[in-house]
């Protein structure tokens, strides 16, 4: 009993100090749980936002990969394709200020989730014209189509063509005119892209600021770098998806593929451009689901609870309005938020660092957006590559270099603890050296394809006069040919001819892809121009040096992409650290708005208009009117891109 009494005394004496220990343990435990909750919550949001960035980047890059497909399918010029591409920025422009200002004070994750649903609806709408327009029709002379009727390509007399064949041909033209209204279906592509822009609006300003608000300060740069890096994976899959769909015929599932007389290497080929949009739309729906279950606010990190601004932000932000951040945390009405709009705008534009960065970004994005939009088209025309191979190369080689560059920028910022001034220097240096490499990129290229009557004469010499008159020569003067046709054939002399008729071919053997033309009066060697020769379906390949130049182009392009991308994350950090915390979403919204209005919308349009000026051969619509360009001047196209990027590079340095 005595022993048990001592044990009881010892037990109660221990109990007298237990409450202190439990209290201490409790506070440590709650702090640990709060830290875990904060880290866990921000990482879940980081994963969800990364997937959304992946989805929107995939659909956006897939649109870039289908530029030439859309141009051929709807028979429209590059300038109109630029308008379609710019409609995304117009959609973003419509609500960017409202979303970035009011959205920051509302439930940010759910607004992002709603944006994903709108973005998916727009992506589905882009694919809809395929199900409502007629089947794609490509130009082919009757002799190249499976038929029991043998027709001479060079129709010296209409009586050579059986009446039934002429009637059938005329009936097809009339049917084409009746369905010509289907060519205006490109408007649905424009509206779908506009809707995509509206849905994408809240993702960047609300998502990035959510991370910057609730992440530990030294981890914010790495997290943003991770999001942007994952976003670059989207274009990799987007261009690879574009490469796959470009190999599939546009009307796959609607027509018998055995009856198709062209391959994906043919200049008239149109791939299944619509299929990728259905896939991208489904991914956007899945990406938006997690945001409906995320909280409006996360616990603040311990390092940020005692101050409304970071140590670096205090260098750029005066003390007078720091108390506004407290009111930001409170629930406010829409009317009260509207009253602060103009003062906030004035405060933002009074920040010189923000204005200078905005100026440089607008100039830089003008050249980058134009280059990215038409890069697949440029490679196809300059180096004679197919749409499928072009998209594959960009997705597998070029885009990973961009991802590595963006991640490297964030890693450099974290490892060397670079401050705001260092971030500005890193971003400027990246842009400067990147544009120097970009200029060298456009210094290399291939010569024009030798096309009789367009780039060379029918005797093989360089052509400099008006191409419309040059299509006709003595060798095809006896043929009834149309200058509007575009059904290229390759002569055995290595010269491409616009059509078998303009090549003066009198006979043909075989059908479809295996057609061979004989007795072509214009296909003669330079040594003996009068000698008639043969030709095969399709244009001739570029010169022997072109594959080597294409390899050099890829190497320099990868280095350029990496160099320019290194400055991406430091630029974002500079933008976020030079403004007040309660204006971060608004500042990013204004920044995005300026990029959309002054770069995203005009750049594809004026690049497209400039590219159209280098066209050597325009297609013709069935019922009249100019269609899509069939052949470009490679030398003029290369010089044009070089001049535009050189001017933009100079302006960035001055700014």
């Amino acid at each position: 009993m005595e022993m048990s009494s001592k044990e009881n005394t010892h037990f109660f004496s221990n109990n007298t100090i237990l409450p202190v220990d439990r209290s201490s343990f409790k506070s440590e435990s709650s702090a640990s749980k709060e830290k875990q909750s904060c880290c866990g919550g921000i990482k879940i949001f980081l994963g969800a936002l990364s997937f959304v960035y992946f989805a929107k980047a995939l659909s956006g890059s897939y649109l870039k990969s289908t530029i030439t497909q859309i141009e051929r399918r709807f028979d429209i010029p590059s300038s109109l394709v630029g308008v379609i591409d710019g409609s995304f920025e117009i959609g973003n422009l419509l609500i960017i200020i409202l979303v970035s200002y009011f959205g920051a004070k509302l439930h940010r994750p759910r607004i992002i989730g709603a944006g994903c649903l709108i973005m998916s609806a727009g992506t589905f709408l882009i694919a809809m014209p395929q199900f409502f327009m007629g089947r794609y029709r490509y130009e082919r002379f009757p002799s190249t189509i499976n038929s029991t009727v043998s027709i001479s390509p060079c129709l010296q007399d209409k009586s050579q063509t059986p009446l039934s064949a002429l009637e059938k041909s005329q009936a097809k033209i009339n049917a084409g005119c009746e369905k010509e209204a289907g060519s205006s279906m490109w408007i649905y592509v424009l509206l779908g892209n506009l809707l995509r822009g509206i849905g994408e609006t809240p993702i960047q300003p609300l998502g990035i600021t959510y991370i910057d608000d609730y992440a530990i300060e030294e981890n914010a740069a790495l997290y943003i770098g991770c999001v942007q890096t994952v976003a670059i994976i989207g274009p990799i899959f987007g261009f690879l998806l574009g490469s796959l769909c470009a190999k599939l015929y546009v009307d796959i599932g609607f027509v018998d593929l055995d009856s198709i007389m062209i391959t994906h290497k043919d200049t008239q080929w149109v791939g299944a451009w619509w299929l990728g949009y259905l896939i991208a739309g489904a991914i956007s729906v899945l990406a938006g689901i997690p945001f409906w279950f995320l909280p409006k606010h996360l616990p603040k990190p311990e390092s940020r609870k005692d101050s409304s601004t970071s140590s670096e932000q205090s260098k750029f932000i005066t003390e007078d309005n720091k108390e506004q951040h407290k009111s930001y945390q409170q629930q406010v009405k829409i009317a009260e938020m509207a009253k602060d709009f103009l003062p906030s705008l004035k405060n933002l534009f009074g920040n010189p660092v923000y204005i200078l960065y905005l100026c440089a970004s607008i100039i830089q994005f003008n050249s980058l957006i134009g280059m990215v939009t038409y890069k697949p088209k440029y490679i196809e025309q300059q180096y004679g590559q197919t749409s499928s191979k072009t998209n594959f190369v960009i997705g597998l080689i070029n885009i990973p270099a961009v991802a590595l560059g963006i991640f490297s920028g964030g890693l450099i910022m974290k490892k060397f603890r670079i401050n705001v001034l260092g971030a500005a220097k890193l971003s400027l240096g990246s842009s400067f050296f990147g544009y120097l490499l970009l200029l060298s990129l456009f210094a290399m290229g291939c010569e024009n394809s030798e096309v009789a009557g367009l780039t060379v004469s029918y005797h093989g010499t360089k052509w400099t006069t008006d191409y419309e008159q040059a299509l006709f020569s003595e060798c095809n003067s006896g043929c009834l040919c149309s200058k509007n046709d575009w059904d290229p054939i390759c002569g055995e002399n290595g010269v491409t001819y616009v059509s078998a008729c303009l090549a003066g071919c009198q006979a043909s053997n075989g059908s479809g892809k295996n057609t061979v033309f004989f007795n072509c009066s214009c296909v003669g060697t330079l040594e003996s121009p009068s000698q008639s020769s043969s030709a095969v379906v399709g244009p001739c390949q570029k010169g022997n040096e072109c594959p080597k130049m294409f390899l050099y182009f890829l190497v320099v392009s990868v280095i350029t992409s990496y160099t320019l991308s290194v400055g991406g994350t430091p630029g974002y950090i500079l933008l976020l650290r030079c403004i007040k915390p309660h204006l971060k979403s608004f500042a990013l919204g204004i920044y995005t708005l300026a990029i959309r209005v002054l770069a995203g919308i005009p750049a594809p349009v004026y690049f497209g208009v400039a590219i159209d000026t280098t066209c050597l051969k325009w297609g013709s619509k069935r019922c009249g009117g100019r269609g899509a360009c069939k052949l470009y001047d490679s030398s003029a196209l290369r010089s044009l891109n070089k001049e535009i990027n050189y001017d933009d590079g100079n302006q960035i340095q001055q700014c």
Side-chain angles (χ1 to χ4, degrees), residues 42-43 45-54 57 208 211 215 218-235 402-414 565 568-570 572-573:
I42 194 63
K43 288 180 180 179
F45 182 86
L46 178 65
L49 186 67
S50 298
F51 188 37
V52 169
Y53 262 73
F54 169 83
I208 295 297
I211 290 178
E218 55 266 23
N219 290 339
L222 182 62
Y223 287 165
I224 294 173
C226 288
V227 170
Q228 293 182 335
T229 301
V230 174
I232 297 299
I233 300 177
V402 176
L404 183 61
I406 291 176
F407 184 75
S408 297
L411 197 61
I412 291 171
M413 289 284 295
K414 179 176 174 62
S565 302
T569 302
Y572 257 106
I573 296 301

Side-chain angles (χ1 to χ4, degrees), residues 228 353 356-362 364-365 368 405-406 408-410 412-413 418-436 560-576 591 649 652-653 655:
Q228 293 182 335
V353 178
L356 286 175
Y357 183 77
L358 185 63
C359 166
S361 297
I362 289 171
Q364 185 178 34
F365 275 98
L368 290 180
I406 291 176
S408 297
I412 291 171
M413 289 284 295
I418 297 177
N419 57 17
V420 176
L421 184 61
K425 292 179 180 179
L426 181 59
S427 180
L428 178 62
S430 169
S431 299
F432 177 75
F433 289 107
Y435 271 92
L436 289 180
T560 303
S561 299
Y562 176 81
T563 305
L564 286 172
S565 302
V566 167
T569 302
Y572 257 106
I573 296 301
L574 173 64
L575 183 62
L576 292 172
Y591 173 81
I652 288 176
Q653 295 172 27
C655 186

Side-chain angles (χ1 to χ4, degrees), residues 33-61:
K33 286 182 179 178
E34 185 178 351
K35 185 176 180 181
Q36 290 176 359
S37 174
C38 172
C39 294
I42 194 63
K43 288 180 180 179
I44 292 174
F45 182 86
L46 178 65
L49 186 67
S50 298
F51 188 37
V52 169
Y53 262 73
F54 169 83
K56 79 181 185 70
L58 184 144
S59 59
S61 60

Side-chain angles (χ1 to χ4, degrees), residues 243-322:
S243 175
L244 175 63
C245 293
K247 281 188 176 181
L248 305 175
Y249 187 63
V250 60
D251 292 323
I252 184 172
F254 299 95
V255 298
D256 182 12
L257 297 181
D258 293 333
S259 64
I260 305 303
M261 296 296 105
I262 56 177
T263 67
H264 71 279
K265 296 181 179 180
D266 196 285
T267 55
Q268 299 187 71
W269 175 270
V270 175
W273 60 275
W274 52 274
L275 184 59
Y277 289 109
L278 298 180
I279 298 173
I283 294 176
S284 296
V285 172
L286 294 176
I289 294 176
F291 289 93
W292 295 97
F293 303 98
L294 290 172
K296 181 179 179 180
H297 299 295
L298 289 175
K300 282 273 188 178
E302 290 292 333
S303 59
R304 290 195 172 188
K305 282 187 176 179
D306 298 331
S307 61
S308 59
T309 59
S310 67
S311 57
E312 289 191 341
Q313 283 176 313
S314 62
K315 299 175 184 177
F316 296 91
I317 302 172
T318 57
E319 299 289 334
D320 54 351
N321 286 324
K322 282 187 178 181

Side-chain angles (χ1 to χ4, degrees), residues 431-451:
S431 299
F432 177 75
F433 289 107
Y435 271 92
L436 289 180
L437 290 169
L438 193 61
L439 291 177
S440 66
L441 192 67
F442 292 108
M444 58 184 72
C446 300
E447 294 296 326
N448 281 322
S449 299
E450 293 186 347
V451 182

Side-chain angles (χ1 to χ4, degrees), residues 319-576:
E319 299 289 334
D320 54 351
N321 286 324
K322 282 187 178 181
E323 292 299 322
Q324 294 180 15
H325 183 63
K326 296 180 181 178
S327 62
Y328 163 70
Q329 302 290 347
Q330 301 172 358
Q331 187 71 26
V332 291
K333 296 180 180 179
I334 300 296
E336 294 176 355
M337 291 189 292
K339 290 179 182 178
D340 294 333
F341 180 79
L342 290 179
S344 298
L345 189 64
K346 182 180 178 181
N347 197 316
L348 198 59
F349 281 97
N351 189 325
V353 178
Y354 179 79
I355 294 299
L356 286 175
Y357 183 77
L358 185 63
C359 166
S361 297
I362 289 171
I363 299 170
Q364 185 178 34
F365 275 98
N366 261 279
S367 59
L368 290 180
I369 289 174
M371 182 186 68
V372 171
T373 301
Y374 293 103
K375 188 171 185 178
K377 185 183 187 73
Y378 179 81
I379 293 176
E380 289 176 38
Q381 296 295 328
Q382 188 67 226
Y383 298 97
Q385 303 297 321
T386 64
S387 295
S388 177
K389 185 176 180 180
T390 299
N391 292 328
F392 182 80
V393 166
I394 293 176
L396 205 61
I397 299 178
N398 208 257
I399 302 299
V402 176
L404 183 61
I406 291 176
F407 184 75
S408 297
L411 197 61
I412 291 171
M413 289 284 295
K414 179 176 174 62
K415 185 174 182 180
F416 296 100
R417 298 180 179 273
I418 297 177
N419 57 17
V420 176
L421 184 61
K425 292 179 180 179
L426 181 59
S427 180
L428 178 62
S430 169
S431 299
F432 177 75
F433 289 107
Y435 271 92
L436 289 180
L437 290 169
L438 193 61
L439 291 177
S440 66
L441 192 67
F442 292 108
M444 58 184 72
C446 300
E447 294 296 326
N448 281 322
S449 299
E450 293 186 347
V451 182
L454 295 180
T455 60
V456 296
S457 70
Y458 281 90
H459 298 290
T461 57
K462 295 281 185 179
W463 194 261
T464 56
T465 59
D466 185 17
Y467 73 89
E468 292 287 356
Q469 300 299 325
L471 286 175
F472 299 100
S473 181
E474 294 180 1
C475 60
N476 58 28
S477 58
C479 300
L480 297 175
C481 305
S482 172
K483 66 181 181 181
N484 295 326
D485 291 340
W486 177 256
D487 187 9
I489 63 171
C490 179
E492 63 180 28
N493 57 351
V495 176
T496 299
Y497 296 85
V498 174
S499 67
C501 182
L502 288 171
C505 300
Q506 304 293 329
S508 63
N509 185 21
S511 62
K513 309 168 190 176
N514 301 318
T515 302
V516 179
F517 299 96
F518 298 100
N519 299 327
C520 302
S521 57
C522 295
V523 184
T525 60
L526 294 178
E527 291 78 9
S528 54
S530 60
Q531 180 182 356
S532 297
S533 301
S534 61
V536 295
V537 174
C540 299
Q541 296 295 321
K542 289 261 188 177
N544 296 330
E545 295 295 321
C546 203
K548 186 185 297 184
M549 294 302 296
F550 181 55
L551 182 61
Y552 295 153
F553 175 87
L554 290 180
V555 172
V556 178
S557 178
V558 167
I559 299 174
T560 303
S561 299
Y562 176 81
T563 305
L564 286 172
S565 302
V566 167
T569 302
Y572 257 106
I573 296 301
L574 173 64
L575 183 62
L576 292 172

Side-chain angles (χ1 to χ4, degrees), residues 58-114:
L58 184 144
S59 59
S61 60
Y62 183 76
L63 177 67
K64 306 294 185 186
S65 72
T66 57
I67 287 293
T68 54
Q69 310 291 319
I70 292 175
E71 187 175 320
R72 293 173 189 168
R73 183 66 181 97
F74 297 99
D75 208 11
I76 54 179
S78 296
S79 55
L80 189 51
V81 172
V83 174
I84 293 175
D85 186 75
S87 64
F88 176 85
E89 317 296 347
I90 297 174
N92 198 287
L93 167 65
L94 293 176
I95 61 170
I96 182 64
I97 294 181
L98 296 176
V99 167
S100 58
Y101 185 72
F102 294 107
K105 306 173 190 298
L106 301 174
H107 200 302
R108 285 182 280 184
R110 288 184 182 175
I111 293 177
I112 294 175

